Amino acid sequence: MNLIERAQQWADHDPNPVTAEELGSLVQAAREGDQDAELELARAMNGPLQFGTAGLRGEIGAGESRMNLAVVIRATAGLCAVLLKHAPRTPRVVIGCDARYGSVDFAHAAARVASAAGCEVLLLPLMNPTPLTAFSVRELDADAGIMVTASHNPPRDNGYKVYLGGTVVTDAGQGVQIVPPFDAEIASAIASAPFADQIAQNDELIVNVDPREDYIARAASLASGSAESKADLGITLTGMHGVGAALTKKVLEEAGFTNVTLVAEQADPDPDFPTVSFPNPEEPGALDLAIAHAAAHGSDLIIAVDPDADRCALAVPDSESATGWRQLSGDEIGSLLGEFRAQSAPSDAVFANSIVSSRLLGKIAEGHGLKYQHTLTGFKWIARVPGLYFGYEEAIGFCPDPSRVRDKDGIATSVVAASLFAQLKTQGRSAKDELERMARLYGLHVTAPLTFRVDRLELIAEGMQRLRAQPLTTLAGAEVEGVVDLSKGWDGLPGTDALMVTTTAGDRVIARPSGTEPKLKCYLEVILPVEEGAEVPWEAARARLESIKVEFGAAIGI
């Protein structure tokens, strides 16, 4: 069938009258020669959404390439077909959702489809954080977990994340997001599913469950330090208009951090995210309200969880900054928390982070006599490392309790971070003091991103092709000693669309297309030695990063 015929067929079988009419109107306009309508149809019917770094994600709207009721219904039917094939019992499915547009409807539809397919459905309290769903998969011995969320994506987006566990995945990947070959098998089952309006739905096997108290108790148990030091730490907390503020505050207070105040303007869920241009704590300006609040309240630490609370950002007082505060990078937080967790880790503990994250975590593990493993990008890889005790990714994702939550968990991370900063405050030391102590132990590791957001996805492929076809020979005055095409696999890792460049000076750059957004992302790291008795060479490291940005950006050519 041609584009218009395929779109008409999809609209005819769309169970949601709103999106059916939206697509039908485009079809009619395209038939009448409207070229803009035909272009929009092409975007809406540009192939099914595919499982990427964090599941299905896309703009809300009509068509097979957008997030809508029909896509969720067919995705759930495909998932259930795979569960029924692999589970030696009646499959048990946990379902949760955030507060984005469509999330509640999508969660209810997924529950009804799974019930009609013959699965036992455990429906979580609606509009709650992703870590609660990840926790529930293991806590409730579920064969699968579905979380409807687009995390920190723009307001117009939504998504569908899948975990496998129970009797379907029983190794170290139990309770982790899907990886090959399950992603391909589920995709094939979705492609074979009937039209959405032909898929059965009922509520016969749906049970409402609420494991929040168990989750709160577990997350709070990660706290350390005296009651006095905890109560003395002033914390400003923001939920970025998402679903994490109330639960994070509750967990912190249960852990003994009673001096926590919320940024009121961002505390309640709001799918429009009205006070930020982009609901990602890493974006410039996203913490402006939190900084103003912290300054007014004399806080010692800012904690920001992203809209589904699986990621955690931190900011600390800094007299040298124009705002009086400095936001720590994901690698700085990961290194600080890694060093903190390593001090009490068992001897067989394993630390892990993705290859796009700082190499410092490996040195921290080595310094404490612990094991270390690097992985591909994404917590679906980090969280399935056997024996994992602590894992992180530079995009402010941290896994401090993998035995119970095998995914990034911004809420549990806030407890560990608060424990660290309460200890530092008691010692009269700052985050910078601790980073400099670590630099003297392990060498100064400084990282920075270089990101290209594009309107046309082919620009990303063209940039990657230029890097492969014309490899760099020098970078920031240092000889390039290695150019590794990671699509062919590397150091025991599966192939992935990425390129790694290393220099004789210890620099490293990894370029890869984002798995969740229309971006080409580059991850830069320099390592400088710190001479005994000398100042830590922060400025030299940052200047070197800027040189690498300019030269590598020119090589990409976007």
Side-chain angles (χ1 to χ4, degrees):
M1 291 183 288
N2 64 30
L3 172 63
I4 290 177
E5 291 170 336
R6 288 193 299 108
Q8 183 63 64
Q9 185 184 61
W10 182 276
D12 290 342
H13 292 282
D14 188 338
N16 183 343
V18 174
T19 47
E21 182 179 354
E22 177 186 332
L23 198 62
S25 296
L26 286 173
V27 167
Q28 183 59 37
R31 281 180 171 149
E32 295 170 358
D34 187 330
Q35 292 186 341
D36 289 338
E38 188 167 348
L39 285 172
E40 184 61 22
L41 269 187
R43 285 190 283 267
M45 299 298 296
N46 189 31
L49 287 178
Q50 297 295 318
F51 286 100
T53 303
L56 301 176
R57 279 197 194 168
E59 186 175 346
I60 297 170
E64 66 178 0
S65 306
R66 304 273 170 76
M67 279 298 298
N68 52 62
L69 204 60
V71 165
V72 168
I73 288 170
R74 296 186 77 242
T76 307
L79 171 62
C80 291
V82 172
L83 295 178
L84 289 164
K85 175 182 174 183
H86 289 281
R89 65 179 184 186
T90 299
R92 182 177 299 156
V93 183
V94 166
I95 299 177
C97 71
D98 66 12
R100 284 177 174 266
Y101 286 115
S103 286
V104 170
D105 290 341
F106 295 166
H108 279 143
R112 290 193 299 268
V113 170
S115 172
C119 298
E120 177 188 357
V121 179
L122 306 179
L123 186 62
L124 297 172
L126 301 173
M127 297 189 291
N128 267 281
T130 292
L132 181 67
T133 301
F135 170 82
S136 300
V137 173
R138 290 180 60 78
E139 181 73 8
L140 303 178
D141 187 30
D143 298 294
I146 297 169
M147 180 65 192
V148 180
T149 179
S151 189
H152 56 281
N153 274 38
R156 64 181 182 274
D157 289 358
N158 212 324
Y160 183 99
K161 182 184 289 191
V162 176
Y163 303 87
L164 293 179
T167 61
V168 174
V169 173
T170 57
D171 59 12
Q174 188 177 62
V176 185
Q177 297 172 56
I178 58 171
V179 296
F182 273 109
D183 55 355
E185 186 176 355
I186 294 169
S188 177
I190 294 171
S192 300
F195 293 114
D197 63 343
Q198 298 172 351
I199 294 172
Q201 299 185 38
N202 65 44
D203 57 6
E204 295 173 5
L205 298 179
I206 300 175
V207 178
N208 292 297
V209 296
D210 189 352
R212 282 178 292 185
E213 289 304 318
D214 292 334
Y215 173 76
I216 289 168
R218 178 65 189 191
S221 73
L222 299 177
S224 60
S226 68
E228 293 78 14
S229 67
K230 294 177 190 174
D232 187 48
L233 186 73
I235 299 173
T236 285
L237 172 66
T238 177
M240 303 291 297
H241 298 295
V243 293
L247 196 59
T248 306
K249 188 171 190 287
K250 175 71 172 173
V251 167
L252 285 166
E253 290 173 344
E254 287 290 315
F257 298 97
T258 53
N259 187 7
V260 181
T261 56
L262 282 172
V263 178
E265 301 94 325
Q266 298 175 332
D268 296 326
D270 187 331
D272 288 319
F273 306 105
T275 68
V276 292
S277 58
F278 201 90
N280 180 350
E282 294 180 291
E283 292 289 322
L287 296 189
D288 285 355
L289 284 175
I291 288 171
H293 180 100
H297 287 78
S299 297
D300 302 299
L301 177 67
I302 292 173
I303 297 176
V305 291
D306 74 335
D308 70 328
D310 65 345
R311 304 194 313 149
C312 178
L314 303 177
V316 295
D318 182 359
S319 60
E320 297 178 7
S321 168
T323 64
W325 288 80
R326 181 169 84 86
Q327 185 169 348
L328 299 174
S329 72
D331 281 318
E332 288 174 329
I333 298 170
S335 300
L336 287 166
L337 297 183
E339 176 74 5
F340 185 61
R341 294 291 280 164
Q343 293 165 10
S344 58
S347 59
D348 61 348
V350 179
F351 281 34
N353 62 357
S354 59
I355 55 173
V356 300
S357 304
S358 175
R359 291 164 285 179
L360 178 53
L361 188 68
K363 293 185 180 178
I364 290 170
E366 181 183 2
H368 289 271
L370 305 174
K371 296 177 182 176
Y372 167 78
Q373 185 171 327
H374 54 219
T375 74
L376 293 181
T377 305
F379 264 84
K380 62 185 181 183
W381 299 109
I382 297 169
R384 66 189 340 104
V385 169
L388 183 67
Y389 184 77
F390 174 75
Y392 91 89
E393 189 151 74
E394 55 75 41
I396 58 172
F398 312 95
C399 181
D401 189 21
S403 67
R404 303 302 286 273
V405 178
R406 289 194 175 170
D407 197 3
K408 51 189 179 294
D409 183 345
I411 300 173
T413 298
S414 73
V415 174
V416 178
S419 299
L420 165 62
F421 281 89
Q423 180 188 89
L424 290 174
K425 183 178 181 183
T426 299
Q427 296 170 347
R429 300 170 63 235
S430 66
K432 185 177 181 181
D433 293 333
E434 179 65 358
L435 288 168
E436 292 195 340
R437 183 188 73 83
M438 292 163 58
R440 292 187 169 91
L441 275 177
Y442 309 116
L444 178 62
H445 293 61
V446 183
T447 61
L450 174 63
T451 303
F452 301 90
R453 178 177 284 272
V454 299
D455 295 324
R456 295 185 293 116
L457 289 178
E458 58 267 26
L459 292 176
I460 294 176
E462 291 168 4
M464 291 297 295
Q465 176 57 28
R466 272 190 288 273
L467 289 176
R468 289 182 168 111
Q470 302 169 351
L472 290 162
T473 57
T474 62
L475 197 57
E479 182 182 348
V480 170
E481 64 178 1
V483 178
V484 179
D485 187 343
L486 298 174
S487 66
K488 301 171 183 176
W490 174 74
D491 200 22
L493 299 179
T496 186
D497 185 11
L499 196 75
M500 178 169 63
V501 177
T502 54
T503 76
T504 53
D507 314 305
R508 187 189 68 181
V509 181
I510 295 178
R512 61 177 283 271
S514 170
T516 58
E517 301 173 270
K519 291 179 177 179
L520 176 60
K521 305 182 78 171
C522 305
Y523 307 82
L524 288 57
E525 181 173 35
V526 301
I527 304 174
L528 297 182
V530 182
E531 301 297 332
E532 188 173 349
E535 293 291 316
V536 175
W538 293 105
E539 290 307 315
R542 291 175 185 135
R544 185 162 187 82
L545 282 174
E546 287 304 312
S547 296
I548 293 173
K549 276 186 182 182
V550 171
E551 293 181 28
F552 203 82
I556 291 170
I558 294 181

